[in-house]
Amino acid sequence: MRYQFKKHFYARVIKNGHVNLGPDKHYYSVPYRFIGKRVKLLYSRTIVEIYSNYERIALHPREKNPYGYTTDKEHMASAHRFKSDWTPDMFLNWAASIHEDVRLYILQILERKQHPEQAYKSCLGVLGFAKKAGNDRLIMACQRGLSYGLYSYKTIQTILENKMDNYEESIFADELPMPDHGNIREKTITNNHLKQQ
């Protein structure tokens, strides 16, 4: 193989098990046990190698899409262990790595539950749309949700499924889904969903 010049970059593994290669603003997974540790990323034009104490712990093809995630499923812990380590800060940091408005949306979900643990599944679902729909669409969907005061996984899912993240304000107002809980008052929303019920 032709020799490729390599550069290095140091970073700390964040709570979702990924490390950010700063020059590209792209995230790569490492084995779960390295969360919180400082690691060295050695990267060339085509690959990214991640080292901890001179041991290579991960190897990925290099991606340059900002705020994207490259994840090896083998690096993820079992669902049980992962859930035990979920915290509000983990979700807020993850959301902030996408965009400030996504962080604000996740914060609203967390604050509206009596116990933060009740909101973790919603947070995980919302943040999962970054991979399914792309960061840009998730950011727009969260901005829509924030502007209308609706904070749930279902809200973001409906916005994305109906491509409402790209609507003009006037169109979006007519299509807004009703909140799926009873603690939002003094909000009158007329939409096609009500007419069908």
Side-chain angles (χ1 to χ4, degrees), residues 18 26-29 60-63 65 68-72 131:
H18 291 73
H26 190 87
Y27 291 82
Y28 297 90
S29 68
H60 296 282
R62 187 176 178 189
E63 303 286 346
N65 52 317
Y69 280 78
T70 297
T71 305
D72 182 341
K131 194 166 187 179

Side-chain angles (χ1 to χ4, degrees), residues 72-130:
D72 182 341
K73 288 185 180 177
E74 293 297 314
H75 292 160
M76 297 296 99
S78 68
H80 174 74
R81 183 176 173 191
F82 190 52
K83 285 180 182 177
S84 72
D85 284 335
W86 284 353
T87 64
D89 279 347
M90 184 197 102
F91 290 107
L92 290 170
N93 289 338
W94 183 358
S97 75
I98 300 171
H99 192 272
E100 176 61 14
D101 289 335
V102 179
R103 188 191 74 81
L104 289 173
Y105 195 85
I106 292 298
L107 181 63
Q108 293 296 332
I109 291 177
L110 289 167
E111 287 184 344
R112 273 162 174 71
K113 298 289 185 182
Q114 189 173 358
H115 301 289
E117 292 81 0
Q118 297 173 337
Y120 291 170
K121 276 195 174 180
S122 292
C123 292
L124 194 65
V126 169
L127 293 169
F129 283 123

Side-chain angles (χ1 to χ4, degrees), residues 4-20:
Q4 292 189 36
F5 183 72
K6 293 182 178 179
K7 297 180 180 179
H8 66 268
F9 183 82
Y10 290 92
R12 194 169 297 279
V13 181
I14 60 176
K15 290 183 178 180
N16 65 9
H18 291 73
V19 62
N20 182 9

Side-chain angles (χ1 to χ4, degrees), residues 147-162:
S147 69
Y148 284 91
L150 298 175
Y151 310 109
S152 70
Y153 165 80
K154 198 74 178 169
T155 299
I156 300 300
Q157 182 185 39
T158 302
I159 290 170
L160 292 171
E161 283 182 354
N162 294 297

